[in-house]
Amino acid sequence: MKDKLLGKNLAGLKEAAASCGLKPFVGKQLAEWLYQKRVRSWDAMTNISKDSKARLQESFELGTVAPIGEARSSDGTRKYLFPVSESQAVEAVMIPDEDRRTLCVSSQAGCKMGCKFCMTGRQGWHGNLDTGDIINQFISIEESSELTNTVFMGMGEPLDNYDAVAGAIEILTADWGFGWSPKRITLSTIGVLPKLRRYLDEQHCHLAVSLHNPFPEERLQMMPVQKAWPVQDVVDLIRQYDFSGQRRVSFEYTMFAGFNDDKLHADALIRLLKGIECRVNLIRFHKIPDFPYECATDKAMTAFRDRLSNNGITCTIRSSRGEDILAACGMLAGQQKR
């Protein structure tokens, strides 16, 4: 099987060129075509000679792969299905909002974390995506040139596949790549502590933490990872970093009726996050099969938000997008196989 160029950084592309007897500047040309112009064919690379392209094609493939399925929501959200192996596929979601086009990108086929309210977590883990698989989601959709932001909130736990995700972030932010500001990127995690520290030390992108319950024993009922990485330890680590500047931290809180939506939970959350410059996003739960809880009422969500806001924590109720095409939070499954 040929190695693919998509997903290689500038140094890797120069090495690929050199391995074919070509000058290093060809590697820079490849980066420009792949990441700045986002082409999907060799023929589009008009300033690379036919001989050079022929040499490259003997050892490499571009690595761009078209989606094998898509769905469009009534609100304009589009969900794309991408093959990532002979048997697995992942979903990416493009969310339009006025002048923004945000891509919710996947980092794994399935997920090891096993959160009981998440369709991805319920299907188990089927493998990591490589950096090329991740970047392909940006390049091979119709709105590629319109994208303004991304959230690593699709299928998988990004920090469980940190090296590949870090490679994608490098391509997204490098001047030879997409040239995006790190402020346009948010990574969501349940709090994989060893890799979370690396992310906070090495990256300048925003962080979103899936919290969902301030009480350890109740969080454990929904999120088995609470046993390995207690939420208090995650919050204590975050306290060591400065989020008063350009980098932001938010905490994601899915609201379940009669489980985590009352004053007791709001007050515990206030105590847990005291002193951290952050935002709490309240998320409506989207019903999935064989799960006993319903979404909290609008009245309960509003009261919860107001209680946090009145105690100095910025809190918003997140708008649901793409629920009619199973593209909302926790609903991605990639069930169609290649």
Side-chain angles (χ1 to χ4, degrees):
M1 180 181 293
K2 293 181 181 179
D3 193 7
K4 62 185 180 184
L5 296 177
L6 193 67
K8 292 184 183 295
N9 62 14
L10 182 57
L13 291 172
K14 288 181 177 180
E15 289 176 7
S19 72
C20 297
L22 304 174
K23 299 291 186 182
F25 74 84
V26 176
K28 191 171 183 179
Q29 290 175 316
L30 288 169
E32 179 183 1
W33 287 113
L34 286 172
Y35 304 135
Q36 296 178 5
K37 298 183 178 179
R38 306 183 202 178
V39 303
R40 306 173 201 176
S41 73
W42 291 99
D43 291 341
M45 300 181 181
T46 54
N47 66 346
I48 301 178
S49 71
K50 289 184 178 180
D51 176 66
S52 295
K53 285 188 283 192
R55 291 198 211 178
L56 287 164
Q57 285 179 273
E58 287 182 5
S59 300
F60 299 97
E61 60 180 5
L62 288 186
T64 55
V65 181
I68 56 175
E70 63 179 83
R72 187 189 294 267
S73 169
S74 58
D75 63 22
T77 298
R78 295 184 75 175
K79 182 172 71 170
Y80 292 92
L81 185 71
F82 286 98
V84 293
S85 70
E86 292 185 357
S87 61
Q88 297 298 323
V90 299
E91 293 172 342
V93 179
M94 192 287 301
I95 307 164
D97 185 13
E98 297 182 352
D99 60 346
R100 292 164 62 101
R101 298 289 183 272
T102 300
L103 187 68
C104 179
V105 65
S106 293
S107 56
Q108 295 180 308
C111 185
K112 296 177 185 176
M113 303 301 123
C115 298
K116 299 185 185 304
F117 51 89
C118 174
M119 288 294 290
T120 305
R122 293 172 126 206
Q123 74 180 53
W125 181 74
H126 302 288
N128 285 328
L129 274 60
D130 63 29
T131 296
D133 294 327
I134 296 171
I135 292 297
N136 183 62
Q137 295 169 67
F138 292 87
I139 289 177
S140 295
I141 65 172
E142 185 177 324
E143 301 84 3
S144 178
S145 63
E146 304 170 19
L147 295 175
T148 60
N149 299 79
T150 189
V151 289
F152 283 87
M153 295 183 183
M155 297 175 66
E157 162 56 60
L159 294 186
D160 191 43
N161 189 20
Y162 177 70
D163 289 339
V165 169
I169 292 173
E170 180 185 8
I171 291 169
L172 292 172
T173 58
D175 56 2
W176 48 261
F178 283 42
W180 284 11
S181 164
K183 293 186 294 182
R184 296 166 67 175
I185 302 168
T186 300
L187 179 144
S188 178
T189 178
I190 51 80
V192 181
L193 281 174
K195 300 297 176 61
L196 178 57
R197 185 180 292 277
R198 275 190 65 190
Y199 175 77
L200 292 172
D201 287 340
E202 297 173 5
Q203 309 296 340
H204 301 283
C205 307
H206 302 312
L207 175 68
V209 178
S210 295
L211 197 153
H212 308 303
N213 202 303
F215 295 115
E217 64 280 5
E218 292 183 5
R219 189 171 188 257
L220 181 60
Q221 293 178 37
M222 295 284 194
M223 305 173 69
V225 294
Q226 168 67 22
K227 187 173 182 178
W229 301 300
V231 66
Q232 184 67 61
D233 293 352
V234 174
V235 172
D236 287 347
L237 174 62
I238 289 170
R239 285 186 194 282
Q240 300 173 26
Y241 293 83
D242 181 14
F243 290 96
S244 61
Q246 293 188 331
R247 180 164 64 171
R248 299 190 305 268
V249 61
S250 61
F251 293 89
E252 311 298 297
Y253 195 94
T254 301
M255 299 285 284
F256 303 103
F259 183 73
N260 67 348
D261 62 343
D262 57 18
K263 292 179 181 179
L264 186 68
H265 289 82
D267 290 343
L269 189 58
I270 292 166
R271 291 192 299 272
L272 179 66
L273 302 181
K274 185 177 181 180
I276 298 177
E277 189 76 23
C278 66
R279 174 187 298 271
V280 172
N281 292 317
L282 303 183
I283 301 170
R284 288 182 172 85
F285 171 61
H286 306 287
K287 187 67 177 175
I288 60 176
D290 303 319
F291 187 77
Y293 291 99
E294 303 283 344
C295 181
T297 64
D298 287 348
K299 181 178 179 181
M301 293 185 74
T302 299
F304 199 100
R305 178 199 64 194
D306 293 347
R307 197 165 185 87
L308 266 63
S309 298
N310 292 336
N311 281 272
I313 296 178
T314 301
C315 184
T316 59
I317 299 174
R318 182 185 289 171
S319 299
S320 294
R321 303 296 300 272
E323 185 177 0
D324 57 332
I325 57 169
L326 303 181
C329 291
M331 300 184 79
L332 298 185
Q335 291 176 331
Q336 179 177 336
K337 305 305 182 193
R338 187 175 178 184

